[in-house]
Amino acid sequence: MSSIVLPEIEVQSASPDLLPPDPDQQSLTVSALRVSQPIGESFIASIPFKTLIRISRFDVRRIMQVERAFETYLGIQRPVDPKRRDQLQEYVNFKDANFPGAVIIAIDADYARFDDKTKALEIRNWREGEDRPSVNLGDVARVIDGQHRIAGLENFKGEKFDIPVTIFVGADLSDQAYIFSTVNLEQTKVNKSLSYDLFALAKTRSPQKTAHNIAVALDRDPSSPFHEKIKRLGFAQRAGGKETLTQATFVEMLMATISTNPKVDRDLLLKGKSLDRVRPDRPGNLVFRNLFIDEKDMSSLKILTITFWRCRNAGKLHGGRLARV
């Protein structure tokens, strides 16, 4: 494989002691496709979540404690974030949970063999010619990208969850570092306002979709106090600089009055379950929750319109402090 050129540095082992080798020879076989690219060859496979956890569990545990070797090589540190892990452990059990992007792992060439005739990639815990294992199968894979997804899958309560995986066999440290930097350091985040805009395409009700629809209605309605003042995709769409509020800001503000956990409520609705109501006399911050449950979004829209007009008018009477919405 080709390698990037970086200044030579001493890479200290950042890993805890390796797991002892398995007591007997073990192997796993997955169907895979060979992919040839300038950096070298890799394999693409659909791997059941239990199998992926089986070959990478110890590396994910290692990442939770210390940086990976290629992170030391690059001079950065991106350990498993417990908060992100916990979020994904909840997400994997949602009805529409999915990981379309590939998890990327590296396996030493001594412990992987591809059969071009059967298109089968064998992952094993012994080297060619050995009659005893020299590594633990749970420590055979190094995770280049996807450690949070793997950690999240450890809490998956279903039976089937296949993961697209890109496997680099025999990638040296510099190649692993280059792949990592390409995937993680050069990607562009999706604009949050655009993300909320896409909820309009969903068929099922959700706090996200309702908040988005109300934001759009308030932006389009000439009688609204927010008429042409909301940046629909996170940036101004109209000349004149009238759009002073991003769609994401408005949607998140409104969602907080509907749900304390919009993702969980969306999942419950996808599963055909009912949401818990709040006491009308003690709604707390969830002033629009019961209206949302009753599918009275127009009532919420009218209340918001009246409320903000009153705030705006009051602002005009008090030195214009609230004159601009």
Side-chain angles (χ1 to χ4, degrees), residues 72-119:
T72 303
Y73 187 79
L74 287 173
I76 61 175
Q77 185 175 13
R78 288 169 60 93
V80 169
D81 179 352
K83 181 178 179 180
R84 178 64 174 154
R85 176 200 60 201
D86 294 345
Q87 290 174 337
L88 287 174
Q89 287 188 342
E90 178 183 60
Y91 168 76
V92 294
N93 293 295
F94 287 175
K95 183 178 176 61
D96 59 349
N98 69 95
F99 291 135
V103 167
I104 304 175
I105 64 175
I107 298 177
D108 191 298
D110 288 336
Y111 302 107
R113 182 178 61 183
F114 183 69
D115 188 321
D116 283 297
K117 292 183 178 180
T118 62
K119 307 299 182 186

Side-chain angles (χ1 to χ4, degrees), residues 228-240:
E228 296 187 348
K229 292 184 179 294
I230 297 176
K231 300 176 183 178
R232 284 289 309 282
L233 299 178
F235 52 88
Q237 303 286 314
R238 310 174 182 94

Side-chain angles (χ1 to χ4, degrees), residues 309-324:
W309 268 123
R310 288 178 176 174
C311 289
R312 186 167 179 172
N313 290 335
K316 289 180 178 179
L317 295 174
H318 294 86
R321 283 175 294 178
L322 295 176
R324 290 192 66 188

Side-chain angles (χ1 to χ4, degrees), residues 149-209:
R149 282 167 281 175
I150 296 173
L153 285 164
E154 292 183 2
N155 192 49
F156 178 56
K157 296 178 173 59
E159 293 296 323
K160 188 175 180 61
F161 203 136
D162 295 337
I163 306 299
V165 181
T166 297
I167 305 164
F168 286 88
V169 175
D172 63 23
L173 184 61
S174 65
D175 281 320
Q176 292 180 41
Y178 181 72
I179 295 164
F180 172 85
S181 64
T182 299
V183 172
N184 289 284
L185 305 182
E186 297 181 8
Q187 62 185 353
T188 302
K189 286 188 175 182
V190 176
N191 185 293
K192 289 180 70 175
S193 292
L194 174 59
S195 297
Y196 287 123
D197 209 60
L198 297 177
F199 275 103
L201 304 176
K203 296 180 180 179
T204 307
R205 280 181 63 77
S206 68
Q208 296 91 334
K209 181 177 181 179

